[in-house]
Amino acid sequence: MSAPPLLSIVVPVYNEAAGVNDFHYGHLLPALIELGETFEVIYVDDGSTDATRLLVEMIAAADERIRVAALARNFGKEIATTAGIHQARGQATLIMDGDGQHPPSEVHRFVEQWRSGAQVVVGVRTGNQREGVVKKWGSRAFYALFNATSGAEMIPRSTDFRLIDSEVREAFKAFPERQRITRALIDWLGFDRVILEFESPARIAGEATYSVRQLVKLAVNSYVSLSLKPLYFFGWVGGLITALSLIVGLAVTVEQFLLGDPLQLNFTGSALLGIFISFLVGLVLMSQAMLAVYVAHVHEQTQGRPLFVLNRSRSVGL
Ligand code: UDP
Ligand code: MG
């Protein structure tokens, strides 16, 4: 095994046969050569069913700086990325898509930021993107809802195009959870971060393999893995309903039965029953939320995240 390079590039690829050669020889390699640093590229073949694995094997056979991690089947981009990060040996690790949408011409800017001290460099897409209406508005709605309600924060349009320092990478490798969103985990880690805007071009070839359905699943997963707030929300609603029906119920009882209905409201039996039922519904909601809090605690415990993460290179005397 040769000496660890300065830069590791992790590229998950799934059925990218139509574009991967152009990506590598036409874009990534020229950018890395121009950068003039030692590097390795780790292509993670995420169980492609086309010639992708063959193509990256051929790329790697001709160049010892290129490595291929072939997954036994399709595990999805998040896990493929993780697999690549586990293989990386560089002082800095840059994660990027293999379809050209994370332009290799930007690599030097990530490295510059890292050189000036950033431990995490987050690529954020600029606003003027050409994407489908559903994806565009869906993602806007997601970030708005997420940031307003989840209690965690996510930068809109932030991507997996990220550079992490080796210290951050080692901390990342400690995450044991199965349902994972790479960028959310990196966000959770913290460290000294810098945001870098880039313009995302169209794919080199082929179609995005993330369907709208998968994106919805990703959104739900990020939400669930990062946030416990929605669980409490329904508890509050329940509490409100119970309190209101209690007040109304008491008012009606006093007005109708103790004072003999001086306001002539003539509450019927079904109205009273209605009030009683909403009182019970409120109780049910509250107890559900109680249960949810227990589930949340179990959830958090089973996630098994580290209790804290030290920023060693910013600590003194450790
Ligand atoms: N990808 C992967 N496994 C999958 C789906 C996608 O490794 O199951 C890779 C894909 O080859 C590409 C990157 O993840 O390099 C982003 O995928 P895509 O372009 O389909 O998604 P989008 O551009 O919509 O984020
Ligand atoms: Mg893409």
Side-chain angles (χ1 to χ4, degrees), residues 253-305:
T253 311
V254 171
E255 198 271 346
Q256 182 133 330
F257 301 109
L258 296 183
L259 304 178
D261 202 10
L263 302 175
Q264 298 290 302
L265 295 177
N266 281 322
F267 280 104
T268 58
S270 40
L272 292 174
L273 194 63
I275 295 169
F276 186 58
I277 287 174
S278 35
F279 176 75
L280 291 181
V281 166
L283 281 187
V284 170
L285 276 178
M286 273 199 293
S287 62
Q288 289 239 3
M290 283 286 287
L291 193 67
V293 174
Y294 284 107
V295 173
H297 282 230
V298 174
H299 168 75
E300 208 171 23
Q301 189 70 37
T302 53
Q303 265 186 335
R305 289 191 184 178

Short mmCIF file of all heavy atoms in Angstrom, two decimals, residues 253-305:
data_model
loop_
_atom_site.label_atom_id
_atom_site.label_comp_id
_atom_site.label_asym_id
_atom_site.label_seq_id
_atom_site.Cartn_x
_atom_site.Cartn_y
_atom_site.Cartn_z
N THR A 253 -72.26 22.78 32.28
CA THR A 253 -72.83 22.15 33.46
C THR A 253 -73.37 23.20 34.44
O THR A 253 -74.50 23.10 34.93
CB THR A 253 -71.76 21.30 34.18
OG1 THR A 253 -71.12 20.48 33.23
CG2 THR A 253 -72.38 20.44 35.26
N VAL A 254 -72.53 24.20 34.66
CA VAL A 254 -72.94 25.25 35.60
C VAL A 254 -74.16 26.01 35.05
O VAL A 254 -75.17 26.17 35.73
CB VAL A 254 -71.77 26.24 35.84
CG1 VAL A 254 -72.24 27.45 36.64
CG2 VAL A 254 -70.64 25.53 36.58
N GLU A 255 -74.05 26.42 33.79
CA GLU A 255 -75.12 27.24 33.19
C GLU A 255 -76.44 26.48 33.14
O GLU A 255 -77.49 26.99 33.51
CB GLU A 255 -74.67 27.66 31.79
CG GLU A 255 -75.42 28.84 31.20
CD GLU A 255 -76.67 28.43 30.44
OE1 GLU A 255 -76.82 27.23 30.13
OE2 GLU A 255 -77.48 29.31 30.17
N GLN A 256 -76.38 25.24 32.70
CA GLN A 256 -77.61 24.50 32.43
C GLN A 256 -78.18 23.82 33.67
O GLN A 256 -79.37 23.92 33.94
CB GLN A 256 -77.34 23.45 31.36
CG GLN A 256 -78.57 22.66 30.97
CD GLN A 256 -78.67 22.59 29.45
OE1 GLN A 256 -78.22 23.49 28.75
NE2 GLN A 256 -79.25 21.52 28.95
N PHE A 257 -77.30 23.16 34.43
CA PHE A 257 -77.83 22.31 35.50
C PHE A 257 -77.82 22.99 36.87
O PHE A 257 -78.66 22.70 37.70
CB PHE A 257 -77.06 20.99 35.54
CG PHE A 257 -77.16 20.24 34.24
CD1 PHE A 257 -76.08 20.11 33.40
CD2 PHE A 257 -78.38 19.66 33.84
CE1 PHE A 257 -76.17 19.44 32.21
CE2 PHE A 257 -78.49 18.98 32.64
CZ PHE A 257 -77.39 18.87 31.82
N LEU A 258 -76.86 23.86 37.11
CA LEU A 258 -76.83 24.49 38.42
C LEU A 258 -77.64 25.78 38.45
O LEU A 258 -78.36 26.07 39.39
CB LEU A 258 -75.38 24.78 38.84
CG LEU A 258 -74.52 23.52 39.05
CD1 LEU A 258 -73.11 23.90 39.53
CD2 LEU A 258 -75.16 22.58 40.06
N LEU A 259 -77.54 26.54 37.34
CA LEU A 259 -78.24 27.84 37.33
C LEU A 259 -79.59 27.75 36.61
O LEU A 259 -80.31 28.74 36.53
CB LEU A 259 -77.36 28.91 36.66
CG LEU A 259 -75.97 29.09 37.27
CD1 LEU A 259 -75.17 30.14 36.50
CD2 LEU A 259 -76.07 29.49 38.74
N GLY A 260 -79.90 26.60 36.01
CA GLY A 260 -81.20 26.44 35.35
C GLY A 260 -81.29 27.17 34.02
O GLY A 260 -82.35 27.69 33.66
N ASP A 261 -80.19 27.22 33.27
CA ASP A 261 -80.15 27.77 31.92
C ASP A 261 -80.68 29.20 31.80
O ASP A 261 -81.62 29.46 31.02
CB ASP A 261 -80.91 26.84 30.96
CG ASP A 261 -80.46 27.04 29.50
OD1 ASP A 261 -79.45 27.75 29.30
OD2 ASP A 261 -81.09 26.48 28.60
N PRO A 262 -80.09 30.15 32.52
CA PRO A 262 -80.57 31.54 32.45
C PRO A 262 -80.35 32.16 31.07
O PRO A 262 -81.06 33.07 30.68
CB PRO A 262 -79.72 32.27 33.50
CG PRO A 262 -78.50 31.43 33.65
CD PRO A 262 -78.93 30.02 33.43
N LEU A 263 -79.36 31.66 30.32
CA LEU A 263 -79.08 32.25 29.00
C LEU A 263 -79.93 31.61 27.91
O LEU A 263 -79.80 31.95 26.73
CB LEU A 263 -77.59 32.07 28.66
CG LEU A 263 -76.59 32.68 29.66
CD1 LEU A 263 -75.16 32.31 29.27
CD2 LEU A 263 -76.73 34.19 29.70
N GLN A 264 -80.77 30.64 28.28
CA GLN A 264 -81.65 29.95 27.32
C GLN A 264 -80.87 29.29 26.18
O GLN A 264 -81.23 29.38 25.02
CB GLN A 264 -82.67 30.95 26.73
CG GLN A 264 -83.61 31.57 27.73
CD GLN A 264 -84.62 30.56 28.28
OE1 GLN A 264 -85.37 29.96 27.54
NE2 GLN A 264 -84.63 30.34 29.59
N LEU A 265 -79.75 28.63 26.51
CA LEU A 265 -78.93 28.01 25.48
C LEU A 265 -79.47 26.65 25.05
O LEU A 265 -79.21 26.18 23.95
CB LEU A 265 -77.48 27.88 25.96
CG LEU A 265 -76.76 29.21 26.19
CD1 LEU A 265 -75.36 28.99 26.73
CD2 LEU A 265 -76.70 30.03 24.92
N ASN A 266 -80.22 26.00 25.92
CA ASN A 266 -80.85 24.71 25.61
C ASN A 266 -79.92 23.68 25.00
O ASN A 266 -80.14 23.16 23.92
CB ASN A 266 -82.04 24.92 24.64
CG ASN A 266 -83.24 25.43 25.38
OD1 ASN A 266 -83.50 25.01 26.51
ND2 ASN A 266 -83.96 26.36 24.77
N PHE A 267 -78.82 23.41 25.70
CA PHE A 267 -77.90 22.39 25.20
C PHE A 267 -78.60 21.05 25.11
O PHE A 267 -79.26 20.62 26.04
CB PHE A 267 -76.69 22.26 26.13
CG PHE A 267 -75.69 23.34 25.87
CD1 PHE A 267 -75.58 24.41 26.74
CD2 PHE A 267 -74.87 23.29 24.75
CE1 PHE A 267 -74.65 25.40 26.50
CE2 PHE A 267 -73.95 24.29 24.51
CZ PHE A 267 -73.83 25.35 25.38
N THR A 268 -78.47 20.38 23.97
CA THR A 268 -79.07 19.06 23.83
C THR A 268 -78.13 18.01 24.40
O THR A 268 -76.94 18.27 24.63
CB THR A 268 -79.29 18.73 22.34
OG1 THR A 268 -78.02 18.80 21.68
CG2 THR A 268 -80.26 19.71 21.70
N GLY A 269 -78.65 16.83 24.55
CA GLY A 269 -77.83 15.73 25.06
C GLY A 269 -76.68 15.43 24.13
O GLY A 269 -75.56 15.16 24.57
N SER A 270 -76.92 15.51 22.79
CA SER A 270 -75.82 15.16 21.88
C SER A 270 -74.73 16.22 21.90
O SER A 270 -73.55 15.89 21.70
CB SER A 270 -76.33 14.93 20.45
OG SER A 270 -77.31 15.86 20.12
N ALA A 271 -75.09 17.46 22.16
CA ALA A 271 -74.05 18.48 22.30
C ALA A 271 -73.17 18.16 23.49
O ALA A 271 -71.93 18.23 23.42
CB ALA A 271 -74.68 19.86 22.46
N LEU A 272 -73.79 17.78 24.57
CA LEU A 272 -73.01 17.42 25.76
C LEU A 272 -72.12 16.22 25.49
O LEU A 272 -70.96 16.16 25.89
CB LEU A 272 -73.96 17.12 26.93
CG LEU A 272 -74.72 18.34 27.44
CD1 LEU A 272 -75.75 17.94 28.50
CD2 LEU A 272 -73.77 19.38 28.00
N LEU A 273 -72.71 15.26 24.77
CA LEU A 273 -71.96 14.06 24.41
C LEU A 273 -70.75 14.45 23.56
O LEU A 273 -69.63 13.94 23.75
CB LEU A 273 -72.86 13.10 23.63
CG LEU A 273 -72.34 11.68 23.46
CD1 LEU A 273 -72.21 11.00 24.81
CD2 LEU A 273 -73.26 10.88 22.54
N GLY A 274 -70.97 15.40 22.62
CA GLY A 274 -69.89 15.88 21.75
C GLY A 274 -68.74 16.45 22.57
O GLY A 274 -67.57 16.15 22.33
N ILE A 275 -69.10 17.26 23.55
CA ILE A 275 -68.07 17.86 24.40
C ILE A 275 -67.29 16.79 25.15
O ILE A 275 -66.06 16.80 25.21
CB ILE A 275 -68.71 18.85 25.39
CG1 ILE A 275 -69.34 20.02 24.63
CG2 ILE A 275 -67.67 19.37 26.38
CD1 ILE A 275 -70.22 20.91 25.50
N PHE A 276 -68.04 15.80 25.65
CA PHE A 276 -67.41 14.73 26.41
C PHE A 276 -66.45 13.93 25.51
O PHE A 276 -65.33 13.59 25.90
CB PHE A 276 -68.48 13.81 27.00
CG PHE A 276 -67.90 12.77 27.92
CD1 PHE A 276 -67.15 13.14 29.04
CD2 PHE A 276 -68.10 11.41 27.67
CE1 PHE A 276 -66.62 12.17 29.87
CE2 PHE A 276 -67.56 10.45 28.51
CZ PHE A 276 -66.83 10.83 29.61
N ILE A 277 -66.92 13.68 24.28
CA ILE A 277 -66.08 12.90 23.36
C ILE A 277 -64.80 13.65 23.01
O ILE A 277 -63.71 13.07 23.00
CB ILE A 277 -66.86 12.52 22.07
CG1 ILE A 277 -67.89 11.43 22.42
CG2 ILE A 277 -65.91 12.00 20.99
CD1 ILE A 277 -68.82 11.07 21.31
N SER A 278 -64.91 14.98 22.77
CA SER A 278 -63.66 15.68 22.43
C SER A 278 -62.72 15.70 23.63
O SER A 278 -61.50 15.67 23.48
CB SER A 278 -63.90 17.09 21.88
OG SER A 278 -64.98 17.69 22.48
N PHE A 279 -63.29 15.72 24.83
CA PHE A 279 -62.46 15.62 26.03
C PHE A 279 -61.66 14.31 25.99
O PHE A 279 -60.43 14.30 26.19
CB PHE A 279 -63.38 15.65 27.27
CG PHE A 279 -62.65 15.44 28.57
CD1 PHE A 279 -61.88 16.46 29.12
CD2 PHE A 279 -62.74 14.23 29.25
CE1 PHE A 279 -61.21 16.27 30.33
CE2 PHE A 279 -62.08 14.03 30.44
CZ PHE A 279 -61.31 15.06 30.99
N LEU A 280 -62.35 13.22 25.65
CA LEU A 280 -61.66 11.92 25.59
C LEU A 280 -60.65 11.87 24.45
O LEU A 280 -59.55 11.34 24.61
CB LEU A 280 -62.69 10.79 25.42
CG LEU A 280 -63.59 10.54 26.62
CD1 LEU A 280 -64.53 9.39 26.33
CD2 LEU A 280 -62.75 10.23 27.86
N VAL A 281 -61.02 12.45 23.30
CA VAL A 281 -60.09 12.46 22.17
C VAL A 281 -58.80 13.17 22.56
O VAL A 281 -57.69 12.70 22.26
CB VAL A 281 -60.74 13.15 20.94
CG1 VAL A 281 -59.67 13.47 19.89
CG2 VAL A 281 -61.79 12.25 20.33
N GLY A 282 -58.95 14.29 23.27
CA GLY A 282 -57.77 15.02 23.74
C GLY A 282 -56.91 14.13 24.63
O GLY A 282 -55.69 14.09 24.49
N LEU A 283 -57.56 13.38 25.52
CA LEU A 283 -56.81 12.47 26.41
C LEU A 283 -56.04 11.43 25.60
O LEU A 283 -54.88 11.14 25.88
CB LEU A 283 -57.77 11.76 27.37
CG LEU A 283 -58.25 12.55 28.59
CD1 LEU A 283 -59.04 11.63 29.52
CD2 LEU A 283 -57.06 13.14 29.35
N VAL A 284 -56.72 10.88 24.59
CA VAL A 284 -56.08 9.85 23.77
C VAL A 284 -54.86 10.43 23.07
O VAL A 284 -53.78 9.82 23.06
CB VAL A 284 -57.08 9.28 22.73
CG1 VAL A 284 -56.35 8.39 21.73
CG2 VAL A 284 -58.16 8.49 23.44
N LEU A 285 -55.02 11.61 22.50
CA LEU A 285 -53.89 12.25 21.82
C LEU A 285 -52.73 12.47 22.79
O LEU A 285 -51.56 12.23 22.46
CB LEU A 285 -54.31 13.59 21.22
CG LEU A 285 -54.95 13.54 19.84
CD1 LEU A 285 -55.35 14.94 19.40
CD2 LEU A 285 -53.98 12.93 18.83
N MET A 286 -53.05 12.92 23.96
CA MET A 286 -51.98 13.18 24.94
C MET A 286 -51.26 11.90 25.32
O MET A 286 -50.03 11.88 25.42
CB MET A 286 -52.57 13.83 26.19
CG MET A 286 -52.65 15.34 26.07
SD MET A 286 -52.79 16.12 27.67
CE MET A 286 -54.40 15.58 28.17
N SER A 287 -52.03 10.82 25.53
CA SER A 287 -51.36 9.60 25.94
C SER A 287 -50.54 9.03 24.78
O SER A 287 -49.49 8.44 24.97
CB SER A 287 -52.36 8.57 26.46
OG SER A 287 -53.26 8.23 25.46
N GLN A 288 -51.04 9.27 23.55
CA GLN A 288 -50.23 8.87 22.38
C GLN A 288 -48.90 9.60 22.37
O GLN A 288 -47.86 9.02 22.07
CB GLN A 288 -50.98 9.26 21.10
CG GLN A 288 -52.19 8.44 20.83
CD GLN A 288 -52.07 7.72 19.50
OE1 GLN A 288 -51.05 7.83 18.84
NE2 GLN A 288 -53.08 6.99 19.11
N ALA A 289 -48.96 10.89 22.68
CA ALA A 289 -47.73 11.67 22.67
C ALA A 289 -46.79 11.19 23.76
O ALA A 289 -45.57 11.12 23.56
CB ALA A 289 -48.04 13.15 22.85
N MET A 290 -47.37 10.82 24.91
CA MET A 290 -46.55 10.27 26.00
C MET A 290 -45.80 9.05 25.49
O MET A 290 -44.60 8.89 25.67
CB MET A 290 -47.44 9.83 27.17
CG MET A 290 -47.94 10.96 28.03
SD MET A 290 -46.61 11.56 29.05
CE MET A 290 -46.50 10.22 30.22
N LEU A 291 -46.57 8.18 24.83
CA LEU A 291 -46.00 6.97 24.27
C LEU A 291 -44.89 7.33 23.28
O LEU A 291 -43.81 6.74 23.27
CB LEU A 291 -47.11 6.19 23.56
CG LEU A 291 -46.81 4.76 23.19
CD1 LEU A 291 -46.66 3.93 24.45
CD2 LEU A 291 -47.95 4.21 22.34
N ALA A 292 -45.19 8.36 22.46
CA ALA A 292 -44.23 8.78 21.44
C ALA A 292 -42.93 9.24 22.07
O ALA A 292 -41.84 9.01 21.53
CB ALA A 292 -44.84 9.89 20.59
N VAL A 293 -43.03 9.88 23.22
CA VAL A 293 -41.81 10.35 23.88
C VAL A 293 -40.96 9.15 24.30
O VAL A 293 -39.74 9.15 24.12
CB VAL A 293 -42.14 11.25 25.09
CG1 VAL A 293 -40.88 11.60 25.85
CG2 VAL A 293 -42.82 12.52 24.61
N TYR A 294 -41.65 8.11 24.81
CA TYR A 294 -40.90 6.89 25.15
C TYR A 294 -40.24 6.30 23.90
O TYR A 294 -39.07 5.94 23.90
CB TYR A 294 -41.82 5.83 25.78
CG TYR A 294 -42.17 6.14 27.21
CD1 TYR A 294 -43.43 6.57 27.56
CD2 TYR A 294 -41.22 5.99 28.22
CE1 TYR A 294 -43.77 6.87 28.86
CE2 TYR A 294 -41.53 6.28 29.53
CZ TYR A 294 -42.81 6.73 29.85
OH TYR A 294 -43.11 7.02 31.14
N VAL A 295 -41.02 6.24 22.82
CA VAL A 295 -40.48 5.71 21.57
C VAL A 295 -39.28 6.55 21.13
O VAL A 295 -38.25 6.02 20.70
CB VAL A 295 -41.55 5.71 20.45
CG1 VAL A 295 -40.94 5.31 19.12
CG2 VAL A 295 -42.67 4.75 20.81
N ALA A 296 -39.41 7.87 21.28
CA ALA A 296 -38.33 8.76 20.88
C ALA A 296 -37.06 8.45 21.66
O ALA A 296 -35.96 8.42 21.10
CB ALA A 296 -38.74 10.21 21.10
N HIS A 297 -37.23 8.20 22.95
CA HIS A 297 -36.06 7.90 23.77
C HIS A 297 -35.42 6.59 23.34
O HIS A 297 -34.20 6.48 23.23
CB HIS A 297 -36.44 7.86 25.25
CG HIS A 297 -36.59 9.23 25.84
ND1 HIS A 297 -35.98 9.63 26.99
CD2 HIS A 297 -37.27 10.31 25.39
CE1 HIS A 297 -36.28 10.89 27.25
NE2 HIS A 297 -37.08 11.32 26.28
N VAL A 298 -36.27 5.60 23.08
CA VAL A 298 -35.75 4.31 22.62
C VAL A 298 -35.05 4.49 21.28
O VAL A 298 -33.95 3.99 21.03
CB VAL A 298 -36.89 3.28 22.48
CG1 VAL A 298 -36.36 1.99 21.87
CG2 VAL A 298 -37.51 2.99 23.83
N HIS A 299 -35.68 5.28 20.41
CA HIS A 299 -35.13 5.57 19.09
C HIS A 299 -33.73 6.18 19.19
O HIS A 299 -32.78 5.74 18.55
CB HIS A 299 -36.09 6.52 18.36
CG HIS A 299 -35.56 7.13 17.11
ND1 HIS A 299 -35.45 6.44 15.93
CD2 HIS A 299 -35.12 8.38 16.85
CE1 HIS A 299 -34.95 7.23 15.00
NE2 HIS A 299 -34.74 8.42 15.53
N GLU A 300 -33.63 7.16 20.06
CA GLU A 300 -32.37 7.86 20.21
C GLU A 300 -31.29 6.92 20.74
O GLU A 300 -30.15 6.93 20.30
CB GLU A 300 -32.55 9.03 21.16
CG GLU A 300 -31.62 10.16 20.90
CD GLU A 300 -31.99 11.38 21.75
OE1 GLU A 300 -32.65 11.21 22.79
OE2 GLU A 300 -31.60 12.47 21.37
N GLN A 301 -31.72 6.09 21.70
CA GLN A 301 -30.77 5.16 22.30
C GLN A 301 -30.29 4.13 21.28
O GLN A 301 -29.10 3.85 21.18
CB GLN A 301 -31.44 4.45 23.49
CG GLN A 301 -30.48 3.64 24.33
CD GLN A 301 -29.51 4.52 25.11
OE1 GLN A 301 -29.87 5.57 25.58
NE2 GLN A 301 -28.27 4.08 25.22
N THR A 302 -31.25 3.62 20.49
CA THR A 302 -30.86 2.59 19.53
C THR A 302 -30.05 3.16 18.36
O THR A 302 -29.33 2.43 17.71
CB THR A 302 -32.08 1.85 18.93
OG1 THR A 302 -32.97 2.83 18.42
CG2 THR A 302 -32.79 1.01 19.95
N GLN A 303 -30.20 4.45 18.10
CA GLN A 303 -29.36 5.06 17.07
C GLN A 303 -27.89 4.88 17.42
O GLN A 303 -27.05 4.77 16.55
CB GLN A 303 -29.67 6.56 16.95
CG GLN A 303 -30.67 6.87 15.87
CD GLN A 303 -30.82 8.37 15.69
OE1 GLN A 303 -30.57 9.15 16.61
NE2 GLN A 303 -31.23 8.78 14.53
N GLY A 304 -27.63 4.86 18.72
CA GLY A 304 -26.28 4.56 19.17
C GLY A 304 -25.23 5.56 18.73
O GLY A 304 -24.08 5.20 18.52
N ARG A 305 -25.63 6.81 18.59
CA ARG A 305 -24.62 7.80 18.21
C ARG A 305 -23.68 8.06 19.37
O ARG A 305 -24.04 7.87 20.52
CB ARG A 305 -25.31 9.11 17.84
CG ARG A 305 -26.05 9.01 16.53
CD ARG A 305 -26.49 10.36 16.07
NE ARG A 305 -27.27 10.21 14.86
CZ ARG A 305 -27.84 11.21 14.22
NH1 ARG A 305 -27.72 12.43 14.68
NH2 ARG A 305 -28.54 10.99 13.12
#
